[in-house]
Amino acid sequence: MTNLGNAPKGKNTFCKEERLYRKILIDELFKTSEGFIKYPFRVIYKRSSAPGNFPIRLAVSVSKRKIKNAVDRNRIKRMTKEVYRRNKREIYKYAGNGITMDAMFVYMDKSVYPFSEIEKAVIKINRKLSLVLENEIRTSEISAPIL
């Protein structure tokens, strides 16, 4: 069983500590961040300035300009969070290393994708984020002073 931070053992939860909700952290994310596109999402991420108990804090954004109907926007956000919650184990291999990353999934399309398409994209995003997190851990171990 992989370590899921403070989450109860065996539970695929998405608790408040795993969510990126503080305005300061979101502003910081948009100012100094890296990103990539895995259609229909644009992913923005950076190493967090505020430590946390989980390897990644996540926010999902769907533009009102592109998806006019609020029901559809909320459905996309719900589906994305659900897929992330089910498939986050790959990222959580790196829990407990003291590194937290902030990430935001920004939905870019003008139409609502089916669950299966969102699932494929989020699984690929999780793989990429796990590689990024692994690289962050490696670079922090290299730059850490030897006592």
Side-chain angles (χ1 to χ4, degrees), residues 90-102:
E90 190 167 344
I91 293 172
Y92 278 66
K93 290 186 282 188
Y94 306 106
N97 289 316
I99 292 177
T100 301
M101 292 187 68
D102 295 333

Side-chain angles (χ1 to χ4, degrees), residues 52-115:
N53 295 328
F54 296 92
I56 290 187
R57 281 190 289 251
L58 177 71
V60 180
S61 174
V62 181
S63 173
K64 194 174 188 177
R65 270 189 210 163
K66 296 198 176 180
I67 306 290
K68 303 287 185 197
N69 193 345
V71 172
D72 291 337
R73 285 195 307 274
N74 291 334
R75 183 167 186 264
I76 292 167
K77 288 189 271 188
R78 233 183 5 258
M79 285 192 298
T80 305
K81 289 176 197 172
E82 176 66 11
V83 171
Y84 174 80
R85 183 187 69 80
R86 286 183 182 181
N87 298 289
K88 66 183 178 181
R89 296 230 180 252
E90 190 167 344
I91 293 172
Y92 278 66
K93 290 186 282 188
Y94 306 106
N97 289 316
I99 292 177
T100 301
M101 292 187 68
D102 295 333
M104 179 171 275
F105 293 5
V106 180
Y107 192 81
M108 299 186 322
D109 203 285
K110 290 184 178 185
S111 61
V112 179
Y113 274 48
F115 185 85

Side-chain angles (χ1 to χ4, degrees), residues 15-31:
C15 61
K16 186 167 182 173
E17 291 85 27
E18 290 179 270
R19 295 185 188 129
L20 180 62
Y21 61 90
R22 290 175 49 200
K23 183 168 177 21
I24 295 168
L25 294 176
I26 292 171
D27 290 344
E28 200 175 280
L29 178 68
F30 280 104
K31 285 179 187 169

Side-chain angles (χ1 to χ4, degrees), residues 12 45 52 72 81 90 92-93 101 125 132 136 142 146:
N12 281 334
Y45 65 90
D72 291 337
K81 289 176 197 172
E90 190 167 344
Y92 278 66
K93 290 186 282 188
M101 292 187 68
I125 290 168
V132 169
E136 282 288 327
I142 292 170
I146 300 173

Side-chain angles (χ1 to χ4, degrees), residues 1-44:
M1 180 80 32
T2 56
N3 182 9
L4 290 176
N6 289 334
K9 272 195 169 178
K11 300 275 185 180
N12 281 334
T13 60
F14 190 60
C15 61
K16 186 167 182 173
E17 291 85 27
E18 290 179 270
R19 295 185 188 129
L20 180 62
Y21 61 90
R22 290 175 49 200
K23 183 168 177 21
I24 295 168
L25 294 176
I26 292 171
D27 290 344
E28 200 175 280
L29 178 68
F30 280 104
K31 285 179 187 169
T32 57
S33 63
E34 298 177 44
F36 59 91
I37 293 175
K38 190 58 73 177
Y39 211 77
F41 293 101
R42 178 173 170 237
V43 180
I44 304 164

